[in-house]
Amino acid sequence: MLDLFADETPWSEPLAPGAVVLRRLARENGTTLLAAIDRVAAVSPFRQMVTPGGYTMSVAMTNCGPLGWSTDRHGYCYSPVDPLSGNLWAPMPDCFLALAQDAANRAGYPHFHPDACLINRYQPGAKLSLHQDKDEACLDAPIVSVSLGLPATFQFGGLTRSAPLQKIYLEHGDVVVWGGESRLFYHAILPLKAGNHPQVGPWRYNLTFRRAAQ
């Protein structure tokens, strides 16, 4: 566990070739980011999607930006339209875009222009199984992943499902960026432990920024 009483200044930790953890980068703007999540969810509510195999995901999701990721029994896709409402996804808040671009630049990926932000909401027990982010047409751009709320254990592996896994403890405001050699590395979130965050309550939110279209 990280020292809760340490200096709030952000710092970086190398994770793998092309991958880095930017500790506490988003903490100072946490309140603004959380308010923006509420505005997005008012347009496109959180929902638990169903995978092609018929499994209902334990994580609730929504999206913002020109494109949104979704899954159903027919497969995975990016679309400008929310399948739940039939309307366009909510626009990406300016504070989201600024954070994503700042994090990517710090990690060595200048000129990052995400067109999709997947917002995951975890309750205790929710998890994200080991997977690759490979549905995007643009694999040259990095992934920027922002943690808000309760802490979680992030697993980061390699190019095969059987590659050894690192376990990284992520707290409110931590940002993980991976691209280049690590762009298609497998990763996961272990089941969330119960707790109460002073700003977020019993939840963990994750913002995942991607460049989905070429």
Side-chain angles (χ1 to χ4, degrees):
M1 182 177 295
L2 300 178
D3 182 1
L4 297 178
F5 300 99
D7 190 330
E8 292 294 311
T9 304
W11 75 93
S12 64
E13 295 176 2
L15 180 57
V20 65
V21 183
L22 302 170
R23 295 289 185 186
R24 297 181 175 150
L25 180 64
R27 181 171 291 193
E28 183 177 345
N29 294 329
T31 300
T32 299
L33 297 170
L34 291 166
I37 291 173
D38 288 341
R39 292 195 298 272
V40 169
V43 176
S44 298
F46 283 97
R47 78 292 307 263
Q48 289 173 271
M49 298 182 187
V50 178
T51 68
Y55 170 73
T56 300
M57 301 182 70
S58 61
V59 176
M61 299 179 172
T62 187
N63 291 271
C64 63
L67 294 173
W69 182 89
S70 64
T71 177
D72 58 24
R73 291 182 180 272
H74 302 291
Y76 308 104
C77 72
Y78 280 97
S79 170
V81 175
D82 179 354
L84 189 66
S85 67
N87 299 321
L88 296 176
W89 295 105
M92 188 180 299
D94 290 342
C95 59
F96 281 19
L97 180 60
L99 172 61
Q101 292 181 324
D102 180 35
N105 187 60
R106 289 171 183 255
Y109 300 100
H111 315 302
F112 178 47
H113 298 289
D115 56 10
C117 177
L118 174 63
I119 308 172
N120 292 339
R121 187 183 68 194
Y122 294 77
Q123 62 184 8
K127 64 179 182 178
L128 205 58
S129 300
L130 197 65
H131 68 283
Q132 295 171 295
D133 286 354
K134 60 181 181 179
D135 299 322
E136 299 75 35
C138 181
L139 296 178
D140 294 332
I143 304 292
V144 175
S145 176
V146 181
S147 293
L148 298 169
L150 290 178
T153 300
F154 177 62
Q155 293 183 308
F156 198 67
L159 289 172
T160 63
R161 189 176 291 275
S162 60
L165 295 170
Q166 299 182 62
K167 290 185 178 181
I168 301 96
Y169 187 80
L170 297 177
E171 291 189 303
H172 179 70
D174 290 342
V175 181
V176 184
V177 183
W178 66 95
E181 294 181 49
S182 300
R183 175 60 179 77
L184 290 175
F185 276 20
Y186 278 86
H187 54 282
I189 290 288
L190 294 182
L192 188 72
K193 295 182 179 180
N196 185 64
H197 188 272
Q199 289 179 270
V200 188
W203 310 102
R204 173 183 185 261
Y205 290 101
N206 177 254
L207 311 176
T208 303
F209 297 92
R210 304 170 175 141
R211 180 73 191 179
Q214 287 284 12

